[in-house]
Amino acid sequence: MEKAQVLARLTRAVAFDERTRSLPYRLCAAGVSLLGGDGGALTLAYTEPQRLTLCSTTDAAARLEDLQEVLGEGPGADASRRGSMMSAIVSKGRSAVWPVFVEAAFAAVGEVSVHAFPMSSGASVIGVFTVYQLPPRLLTENADIASFVANSIGAAILSDPASDTPEGLGSWASRALVHQATGMVMAQLGIHSDDAMALLRAHAFADNVSLTEMARSVNELTFDFSRDDGARP
């Protein structure tokens, strides 16, 4: 398919999607459909402290996106750092690339293919568009077209005045919970914010919950890092 046709299909899909959804969500869902995926996510500043997932279109996509944030590894992080498409086939057995993520992802959702595309603005990578497929299979379009879709979505997000009201895993409300919990862990243990965030991620992974769920437990005082008995009062 030609790039002009892809952009036209993307535009139509966004225009006729349910208007109660945010533009980032509609863009993500349209991109996923174009590439033959079953779910997807849009994340800005993927490897930065201010990382923000604008939307995740399915529960599986949300869980896989959260695992990559908690573990700090996966195709999304490498796509952001390298500025090129990264893919992973998640299946039973050891993986030479991202072994911890692949094992955790298989435990969470079973066999799945994960395709991560950097969203670029000029020479800068602003975020990552990730497409998930259950069961794993090839993308409908080739890598060049898929990258074009990702960059088109990125450009649309940058020009969207309402993109500060995201939905899904990384909403501003969710990020506020994480920031509040980070502050509480800092106060409980007298440590730096980076260390507090690392502990939140470690406990989220160990308890098999999302970072947002972990943060909520801390904020609601059902999890106290200053205790020695598992932190549950």
Side-chain angles (χ1 to χ4, degrees):
M1 185 183 301
E2 296 295 325
K3 290 181 178 180
Q5 292 176 294
V6 170
L7 195 55
R9 285 183 57 185
L10 186 68
T11 301
R12 286 196 300 272
V14 170
F16 290 103
D17 199 358
E18 186 180 359
R19 286 304 183 93
T20 56
R21 301 285 195 180
S22 68
L23 176 58
Y25 184 99
R26 285 180 283 141
L27 285 164
C28 185
V32 167
S33 177
L34 274 172
L35 300 182
D38 299 304
L42 294 178
T43 299
L44 301 180
Y46 204 97
T47 58
E48 303 299 324
Q50 66 269 31
R51 170 191 167 111
L52 176 66
T53 299
L54 293 175
C55 68
S56 46
T57 64
T58 65
D59 290 342
R63 183 63 181 133
L64 291 167
E65 198 72 5
D66 186 72
L67 277 174
Q68 293 189 81
E69 178 173 13
V70 169
L71 297 174
E73 75 167 41
D78 279 4
S80 178
R81 294 188 187 104
R82 301 181 185 183
S84 58
M85 172 188 173
M86 293 287 158
S87 295
I89 301 298
V90 173
S91 60
K92 189 174 183 178
R94 291 189 174 275
S95 171
V97 183
W98 313 302
V100 179
F101 166 71
V102 168
E103 182 178 353
F106 181 76
V109 302
E111 292 190 337
V112 59
S113 52
V114 184
H115 307 283
F117 305 92
M119 296 185 293
S120 300
S121 176
S124 301
V125 174
I126 64 167
V128 175
F129 169 50
T130 307
V131 177
Y132 304 99
Q133 296 172 300
L134 295 154
R137 57 191 184 277
L138 296 176
L139 292 171
T140 301
E141 301 293 339
N142 63 41
D144 286 342
I145 291 296
S147 294
F148 173 75
V149 170
N151 287 333
S152 298
I153 290 173
I157 290 171
L158 282 179
S159 63
D160 174 29
S163 62
D164 60 344
T165 57
E167 60 189 84
L169 173 68
S171 68
W172 282 120
S174 296
R175 300 313 296 180
L177 281 174
V178 173
H179 287 306
Q180 181 183 350
T182 301
M184 292 186 69
V185 176
M186 290 170 64
Q188 290 170 0
L189 300 179
I191 58 177
H192 191 270
S193 61
D194 290 344
D195 295 335
M197 177 62 78
L199 286 176
L200 281 170
R201 288 173 174 162
H203 279 273
F205 177 63
D207 287 356
N208 195 32
V209 299
S210 72
L211 199 59
T212 301
E213 290 173 299
M214 187 71 236
R216 185 175 290 110
S217 295
V218 172
N219 294 334
E220 293 176 352
L221 303 180
T222 60
F223 200 101
D224 186 343
F225 277 78
S226 66
R227 294 173 63 92
D228 297 326
D229 57 353
R232 301 214 178 260

